[in-house]
Amino acid sequence: MKAKKVILLVVAAVLIYTLIAHPTQLGDGVQTVLNWIGDGLGAIVDFMRSVVE
């Protein structure tokens, strides 16, 4: 349980550092991930529509 807390704190510290040091790159990365999720959801919706039709 203690190792889990340490890993969580390290991840949080890295994210905060990245947000402060490189906010534009972090924003671009978040936008990229959200685009991947959107593309994946769109593909699932298209598949479901083709199954129903």
Side-chain angles (χ1 to χ4, degrees), residues 15-36:
L15 285 175
I16 291 170
Y17 168 76
T18 304
L19 180 62
I20 293 170
H22 307 288
T24 305
Q25 290 85 352
L26 183 61
D28 292 342
V30 169
Q31 180 121 18
T32 300
V33 169
L34 291 177
N35 285 336
W36 288 342

